Amino acid sequence: MIRIKSFIFAASFLAATSSISAQIKTRSYMDNGDKWGIIDENLKVVIPAEYLSAGEFTGKCANVEVAQNKWALVDINNKEIIRFTCDKLKPMKCGWCLMIGTDGKYSFVNEKGEYLVKDAVYASEFSQGLAGVTRGNYERIDYIKPDGTVAFSIDEAKGHEFHNGLALVENIFESYGIIDKTGKFLTPTELRRTSYLGEGAFLTEDPENPYHYMIINKYGKILSPRNIVSATKVYNGISYLTLYGHKNFNSYAFNLKTRELSSKGLFISNNSSKYMATFGKFPDGKTKFTLCDSSFNPLCDRDFEYFGDEVNDIFVFLDHGKNIYVNTKGKTFVAEKANYLMP
């Protein structure tokens, strides 16, 4: 009976560990000089800051850089599972990590050391069950499934990640087109400097005015003004725009459906409009950075000097020489021993 009880306890522990690691949102953090670790959405340290670089948990393991050109997958107890010699190891998605070798070649590997693809000239990470793989001379993209079978192929140079059933593909001249999950082109590869904003909208450079941007839909129809400097991700049909020719430190809420612009006199600094790092004068009379929800209600009871970045709804701000991590509940975690500030 003792053996049976021990087995049941071990099985329960492993199941709980797998469940925890599969559900939590995590991001890297810097502390302990210039070392990196991983914290979760509750700002609890999951992996201590002891690595040259760190990624995030996606399932049962996380990617960490243990030494120059040496990356590993570790479990939630910081136990090393496997080590690779490479330049970069991305987080695991659909059971595979995208690995970039020291020779610049792209491969997909798993925690068992198995290869799905080896030495491609380019590959995207898996997203929505597909990854774009380019072999040979940048002449064809194979979008593959996690079992290695080809879903469809396109005669272009690079295939990027899918979001909401849409992906950007790139030709050898660094122009972009938009495809759906069947490989059908919705726009030809004529777009310049293009990125996905969410909810079927893309930010692309105005072909008639370099470094001025506009928002288009998946068919290339222009939705916005053509003098955009920057735009946040779309949330509930709203993207916050910074515009050429308008007041500095002022972002405009752009409604993609009504095409209306409005302003609250605040600068939206991060890449999401569900939770926003905002800068400006608030009702309390202070000019500051703080974290707000989409209705501009402050989520944190303190303000900051500068905004760093956001990963998985975990933000980092700078204040009085410290990197301060903030979650969407307004809780903070101060990295006391970081050697330098986040950019």
Side-chain angles (χ1 to χ4, degrees):
M1 285 296 291
I2 293 175
R3 288 184 179 178
I4 293 174
K5 286 182 179 179
S6 298
F7 174 78
I8 291 172
F9 172 78
S12 300
F13 174 77
L14 287 172
T17 301
S18 298
S19 175
I20 290 171
S21 61
Q23 294 176 10
I24 59 174
K25 291 182 180 180
T26 60
R27 67 156 296 158
S28 60
Y29 78 102
M30 184 178 64
D31 207 353
N32 191 28
D34 57 357
K35 300 297 185 181
W36 292 85
I38 298 174
I39 55 175
D40 68 15
E41 59 193 328
N42 297 310
L43 304 185
K44 176 184 176 182
V45 173
V46 181
I47 301 296
E50 61 185 41
Y51 296 104
L52 295 184
S53 183
E56 60 184 276
F57 274 93
T58 49
K60 300 177 183 178
C61 53
N63 53 318
V64 295
E65 186 180 11
V66 296
Q68 186 174 2
N69 294 332
K70 299 290 182 183
W71 285 76
L73 292 174
V74 297
D75 66 17
I76 202 163
N77 298 308
N78 200 22
K79 181 180 178 181
E80 187 172 312
I81 301 169
I82 191 170
R83 186 176 292 200
F84 300 95
T85 298
C86 59
D87 184 62
K88 184 75 174 179
L89 186 70
K90 298 280 191 175
M92 183 172 286
K93 297 179 181 179
C94 294
W96 299 99
C97 297
L98 179 62
M99 182 175 73
I100 305 173
T102 55
D103 58 358
K105 297 293 181 66
Y106 291 72
S107 303
F108 284 105
V109 295
N110 65 16
E111 75 279 10
K112 299 176 183 178
E114 298 169 333
Y115 282 77
L116 180 69
V117 169
K118 196 169 186 179
D119 295 338
V121 296
Y122 180 80
S124 69
E125 293 182 79
F126 271 98
S127 57
Q128 297 193 305
L130 294 173
V133 177
T134 304
R135 300 176 176 89
N137 296 316
Y138 293 98
E139 295 174 347
R140 190 184 75 180
I141 307 159
D142 290 330
Y143 270 95
I144 64 170
K145 301 176 183 179
D147 63 3
T149 59
V150 176
F152 59 86
S153 299
I154 293 176
D155 293 333
E156 293 292 1
K158 295 180 180 180
H160 299 285
E161 288 82 6
F162 272 95
H163 305 279
N164 302 115
L166 303 169
L168 289 165
V169 294
E170 186 179 349
N171 65 20
I172 58 173
F173 304 106
E174 299 182 348
S175 293
Y176 295 85
I178 301 169
I179 62 169
D180 65 16
K181 287 194 74 176
T182 69
K184 177 184 176 182
F185 273 92
L186 305 178
T187 66
T189 49
E190 298 174 351
L191 303 172
R192 299 292 294 175
R193 295 188 176 95
T194 303
S195 58
Y196 186 64
L197 293 181
E199 299 184 16
F202 294 80
L203 185 69
T204 189
E205 186 180 53
D206 185 347
E208 299 176 4
N209 201 352
Y211 304 107
H212 289 61
Y213 292 83
M214 56 191 181
I215 296 175
I216 61 172
N217 67 11
K218 62 183 179 180
Y219 299 112
K221 182 179 179 180
I222 299 172
L223 304 177
S224 73
R226 301 171 69 153
N227 61 332
I228 297 174
V229 179
S230 63
T232 69
K233 296 289 186 183
V234 178
Y235 177 69
N236 280 349
I238 302 292
S239 175
Y240 287 92
L241 315 180
T242 306
L243 303 174
Y244 284 106
H246 288 251
K247 186 177 179 181
N248 290 335
F249 298 110
N250 198 4
S251 295
Y252 293 82
F254 178 68
N255 188 309
L256 273 68
K257 186 175 181 180
T258 66
R259 316 285 179 86
E260 294 178 342
L261 282 170
S262 60
S263 174
K264 286 187 174 290
L266 298 171
F267 176 64
I268 314 302
S269 184
N270 63 295
N271 202 32
S272 170
S273 50
K274 183 177 181 181
Y275 304 105
M276 300 179 291
T278 57
F279 176 79
K281 184 172 285 188
F282 284 78
D284 61 7
K286 290 184 178 180
T287 300
K288 58 187 178 182
F289 272 101
T290 193
L291 182 62
C292 296
D293 63 18
S294 59
S295 298
F296 293 92
N297 299 308
L299 298 174
C300 187
D301 61 1
R302 64 176 296 172
D303 49 81
F304 308 94
E305 295 173 353
Y306 194 72
F307 167 68
D309 69 8
E310 172 262 330
V311 177
N312 292 333
D313 291 336
I314 307 168
F315 295 72
V316 59
F317 291 88
L318 314 179
D319 194 42
H320 293 89
K322 301 290 184 183
N323 293 329
I324 302 175
Y325 296 83
V326 186
N327 67 13
T328 56
K329 297 178 182 179
K331 184 179 178 181
T332 59
F333 166 78
V334 181
E336 294 283 358
K337 299 179 181 179
N339 270 356
Y340 60 91
L341 301 180
M342 290 289 293

